[in-house]
Amino acid sequence: MSRCQIISLPDLSKARNRQDGASVKYDEAVYSDALRFFAKGRKYLVKTFGCQGNVRDEEVISGYLEKAGFSKTTDEKAANIVIINTCAVRENAEDKVYGEIGKFKANAKTDKDFILGVCGCMMQEENKAESLIKTYPFIRLIFGTHNIADLPSMLDRVISSHQGLVDVISYPGDVIENLPSIRLDPYKAFVNISYGCDKFCTYCIVPYTRGRERSRPLQSILDECRKLIEDGYQEITLLGQNVNSYGKDFHDGTNFATVLEEVAKLGIPRLRFTTSHPWDFSLDMLDTIAKYPNIMKCIHLPVQSGSTAVLRQMGRRYTREQYLDLVKAIRERMPECAITTDIIVGFPNETEEQFAETLTLCQELKYDAAFTFIYSPRAGTPAAKMVDNVSDEVKHERFNRLLKVVEEGVVYHSSKMVGKAYDVLVDGPSKKNEAILSGYTESNKLVNFPGPVYLKGHIVKVKITENHAFSMLGQLEEDPVDVLLRSASEKLKQEPAYIQYLAAKKVFEEDKELQAALHEKEAAQKALALSMGSEDYENKKAAFAKISAFVDNNPNYINFVSSTADLRDLFAEMKALLQ
Ligand code: SAH
Ligand code: SF4
Ligand code: F3S
């Protein structure tokens, strides 16, 4: 412990605090000369566990590391700095972390400057940091979810003091903008719309590890999305623990429907969002989802339990009936909308009858997919204090029964897909077979099909040929070259030269005086040709020169001609690229 400087440790009673409001700050990290010197030529690796929020944090952590001068590696042995980004949502998520940390002991042995950092939700739990540095003395940095933006200064201290550093803050949290970021995927992006959670479901650690629910300013979200679209992104997923409560903290009427609509209007081909809490889901939001074809008809709507009594114990704030009504409202507006869910089995004292209510709910609703979990007590949460009379054996047995019912729903939907064609956003070659491409449908169904690698990042039509329940086999329904042409034409329409050309053309066509002069010029040219060899020739020549000069000096004409030339240059450039 003496080798480690402890700046602060987490405190769940502070993490519970929801009193003062959040403020918006801007990233102002300072990269010291010592850090830049150290980073030069050294490689980093970030390993992430947990939800999409953590994946997005990895991108920000990578952003800081690259700004400092580190370069990325995927080779664990070659890494000079490794950051393990942890999850605390269930015990098994934590168990994986211990194994992962152990793996890097060898790096620390061979490289005296090796830095192992551990961060994320697990570090926000009480006693975790202390026990980690005892068990794994080669850990050199521990930080939490609230101080990622301090990474450059924390690294500077680690490098210059040759001591370890623990700095985990428990506080409600702010919003930090202008964060650096290295995106993990070139076509699909996560965009945070809110952080934290105020729901305090009784089993859940997230409100303690992530702080209060705070929304990002709408303009910051839109700026980030605009940039992604410019960079060729095909899919944006709006992220929040409860996206549906977006904007509540602004008290100005801005809500999730607003942000959905504004982002959809920017024109991203695919817009998704997660996670939706049933309690905050308004019919307005459903209408917005239904209205825009680029908002994917796919809603992740965690139910957790089908029993109203258990839901009350969980602090979920809706009943079984209210949940069913919400699903009915979704299906009335969007019959094809996929609905997926999360379910917890074995909440303390869950009776067989209560569990059976979860089964009947799943049978009735037939989810497109469901993530199922056995309840895992989390220290500091109210449920962890409940005396539980259900044995592990019973919980496992229930879990297996639930899996069967969930699978029936999955197969019900997937079997209906066979023979139909779907739009698939291609991720690239499938993990198992290089010759096969894989991607996802609007309903988030994984589809594998043969096709050329260059279709990566394109949305293509695929006909489903075989149903494998959790993934589908398909065949391309269109010529891959047509896909490229379509996408090239879409890209062309976003080129500034093309947009300028269209604007100049409009002004050119609407300038009545110019159009009349053009007609006059045409007539004068004809008259000049006819007068060739006659005595009127000089007069006609002068008339033609006059009207030509008028046209040539018209700014709208000049603009149109030059924007047409720019467009031709663009075509020439594109042709050169294709050769
Ligand atoms: N904010 C989201 C997701 C939170 S965590 C929501 O409210 O739905 C993702 C899922 O993990 C939850 O939906 C829940 O099903 C599960 N989960 C959370 N805490 C858990 C615990 N203590 N034990 C088992 N599963 C848990
Ligand atoms: Fe956890 Fe409930 Fe918040 Fe979801 S809504 S993050 S389950 S407390
Ligand atoms: Fe895990 Fe934290 Fe996400 S606990 S699920 S990484 S918010």
Side-chain angles (χ1 to χ4, degrees):
M1 290 278 271
S2 61
R3 289 182 54 249
C4 216
Q5 198 186 356
I6 296 185
I7 309 288
S8 67
L9 287 168
D11 173 345
L12 289 193
S13 62
K14 280 191 195 154
R16 228 171 262 134
N17 175 16
R18 289 291 184 268
Q19 262 142 35
D20 32 293
S23 54
V24 179
K25 296 176 176 163
Y26 291 85
D27 172 50
E28 41 193 39
V30 177
Y31 302 81
S32 68
D33 290 343
L35 174 59
R36 287 189 193 281
F37 183 77
F38 181 85
K40 212 167 177 195
R42 286 192 159 90
K43 296 193 162 65
Y44 78 91
L45 177 77
V46 187
K47 295 214 117 185
T48 292
F49 297 87
C51 63
Q52 292 101 324
N54 251 19
V55 173
R56 182 70 192 118
D57 282 352
E58 166 172 343
E59 296 179 336
V60 172
I61 291 167
S62 303
Y64 281 115
L65 294 174
E66 293 210 7
K67 264 184 119 174
F70 294 102
S71 55
K72 185 177 175 139
T73 179
T74 48
D75 177 358
E76 292 180 0
K77 291 198 178 77
N80 306 101
I81 169 165
V82 172
I83 306 285
I84 300 177
N85 187 17
T86 63
C87 169
V89 82
R90 282 170 296 275
E91 197 174 342
N92 57 5
E94 299 200 353
D95 292 342
K96 287 186 209 148
V97 168
Y98 297 113
E100 202 58 41
I101 295 174
K103 280 207 301 205
F104 292 99
K105 190 173 178 180
N107 295 51
K109 247 190 177 160
T110 51
D111 172 3
K112 69 172 176 33
D113 291 325
F114 177 71
I115 297 178
L116 179 62
V118 189
C119 65
C121 287
M122 194 174 153
M123 297 306 100
Q124 295 290 148
E125 290 181 277
E126 284 177 359
N127 306 319
K128 283 279 152 41
E130 296 97 309
S131 92
L132 276 190
I133 50 179
K134 251 190 220 153
T135 322
Y136 306 96
F138 51 92
I139 294 177
R140 296 203 35 209
L141 173 64
I142 289 182
F143 58 103
T145 58
H146 290 300
N147 58 344
I148 296 174
D150 296 335
L151 186 58
S153 64
M154 291 188 289
L155 282 175
D156 174 61
R157 290 168 86 156
V158 169
I159 291 161
S160 48
S161 73
H162 293 285
Q163 263 193 328
L165 185 79
V166 177
D167 194 0
V168 182
I169 322 163
S170 287
Y171 89 128
D174 293 314
V175 172
I176 304 184
E177 291 299 339
N178 282 8
L179 294 166
S181 147
I182 301 292
R183 301 243 174 218
L184 289 161
D185 192 295
Y187 304 109
K188 302 203 282 192
F190 293 128
V191 172
N192 286 310
I193 63 167
S194 60
Y195 302 101
C197 177
D198 285 349
K199 292 283 185 287
F200 287 100
C201 302
T202 57
Y203 51 82
C204 185
I205 194 73
V206 173
Y208 306 84
T209 64
R210 291 278 169 177
R212 75 180 136 217
E213 199 162 274
R214 50 214 193 269
S215 307
R216 279 182 75 192
L218 182 59
Q219 279 317 317
S220 312
I221 298 169
L222 295 179
D223 288 347
E224 187 174 334
C225 293
R226 250 183 235 114
K227 174 83 178 50
L228 289 165
I229 295 170
E230 266 171 41
D231 291 347
Y233 274 80
Q234 297 293 308
E235 180 175 297
I236 288 176
T237 302
L238 303 177
L239 283 188
Q241 290 297 342
N242 295 295
V243 285
N244 309 69
S245 41
Y246 174 82
K248 274 185 166 180
D249 44 343
F250 296 153
H251 308 288
D252 66 355
T254 312
N255 64 23
F256 181 53
T258 327
V259 67
L260 258 185
E261 177 145 31
E262 292 304 314
V263 178
K265 283 201 296 208
L266 297 178
I268 182 80
R270 285 184 163 198
L271 179 57
R272 299 186 186 276
F273 52 90
T274 198
T275 302
S276 293
H277 191 296
W279 190 52
D280 286 324
F281 220 137
S282 71
L283 297 182
D284 262 8
M285 292 168 193
L286 287 184
D287 291 337
T288 307
I289 299 165
K291 182 173 159 194
Y292 289 91
N294 59 341
I295 302 183
M296 298 294 95
K297 306 299 176 270
C298 181
I299 300 178
H300 185 57
L301 195 67
V303 66
Q304 313 300 358
S305 167
S307 150
T308 298
V310 175
L311 288 170
R312 196 180 314 117
Q313 295 263 308
M314 289 177 161
R316 289 290 289 182
R317 311 181 205 201
Y318 52 85
T319 61
R320 175 190 173 100
E321 288 66 36
Q322 283 166 330
Y323 185 92
L324 289 173
D325 283 349
L326 178 57
V327 172
K328 198 166 149 223
I330 297 173
R331 290 189 169 152
E332 270 166 13
R333 283 166 180 76
M334 299 168 276
E336 295 302 314
C337 186
I339 302 178
T340 60
T341 203
D342 289 348
I343 300 168
I344 298 177
V345 174
F347 187 76
N349 308 314
E350 178 191 57
T351 64
E352 173 56 31
E353 291 70 34
Q354 289 167 340
F355 171 68
E357 286 189 83
T358 300
L359 291 183
T360 57
L361 181 118
C362 289
Q363 275 155 348
E364 189 179 331
L365 293 185
K366 298 186 176 61
Y367 287 109
D368 289 79
F371 299 96
T372 48
F373 312 104
I374 292 184
Y375 167 72
S376 167
R378 306 284 70 209
T381 62
K385 295 187 193 86
M386 296 178 188
V387 184
D388 190 359
N389 63 14
V390 190
S391 70
D392 278 356
E393 203 188 341
V394 169
K395 291 187 187 199
H396 279 93
E397 183 263 333
R398 285 182 190 163
F399 184 76
N400 291 333
R401 277 156 67 199
L402 177 63
L403 281 187
K404 282 215 180 83
V405 174
V406 163
E407 192 171 340
E408 282 165 21
V410 175
V411 172
Y412 170 81
H413 291 286
S414 58
S415 60
K416 288 203 294 193
M417 292 175 75
V418 178
K420 293 189 192 133
Y422 293 87
D423 283 340
V424 172
L425 171 54
V426 182
D427 279 340
S430 84
K431 279 183 196 135
K432 288 186 200 144
N433 184 346
E434 277 282 307
I436 301 285
L437 297 180
S438 73
Y440 287 86
T441 62
E442 167 161 7
S443 66
N444 243 340
K445 197 80 183 170
L446 177 63
V447 181
N448 295 309
F449 60 99
V453 174
Y454 61 73
L455 288 182
K456 187 174 172 186
H458 293 279
I459 295 173
V460 300
K461 275 259 180 289
V462 180
K463 189 173 175 180
I464 305 300
T465 51
E466 269 179 51
N467 169 17
H468 293 261
F470 294 94
S471 70
M472 312 300 281
L473 217 61
Q475 248 168 16
L476 253 181
E477 267 254 297
E478 52 189 340
D479 185 333
V481 172
D482 285 343
V483 175
L484 290 192
L485 281 177
R486 194 175 62 221
S487 136
S489 126
E490 286 304 315
K491 279 200 188 109
L492 179 67
K493 285 182 193 151
Q494 284 157 20
E495 282 291 328
Y498 182 69
I499 295 166
Q500 264 162 27
Y501 162 78
L502 285 184
K505 185 174 165 218
K506 188 161 184 275
V507 175
F508 167 81
E509 284 173 353
E510 284 172 1
D511 184 338
K512 289 210 176 82
E513 200 186 353
L514 173 59
Q515 290 303 323
L518 280 167
H519 280 120
E520 205 182 308
K521 183 181 163 186
E522 206 179 315
Q525 190 170 22
K526 211 168 168 187
L528 176 63
L530 290 174
S531 72
M532 200 85 83
S534 82
E535 55 197 34
D536 216 14
Y537 180 72
E538 285 306 319
N539 282 340
K540 298 288 183 223
K541 198 175 160 187
F544 177 66
K546 193 175 166 212
I547 190 70
S548 293
F550 177 82
V551 168
D552 291 347
N553 286 317
N554 180 301
N556 293 339
Y557 180 75
I558 296 171
N559 210 7
F560 177 63
V561 171
S562 78
S563 68
T564 311
D566 289 347
L567 195 61
R568 273 204 308 270
D569 287 348
L570 179 70
F571 283 137
E573 256 175 56
M574 288 173 67
K575 208 172 150 199
L577 276 178
L578 288 173
Q579 276 159 1

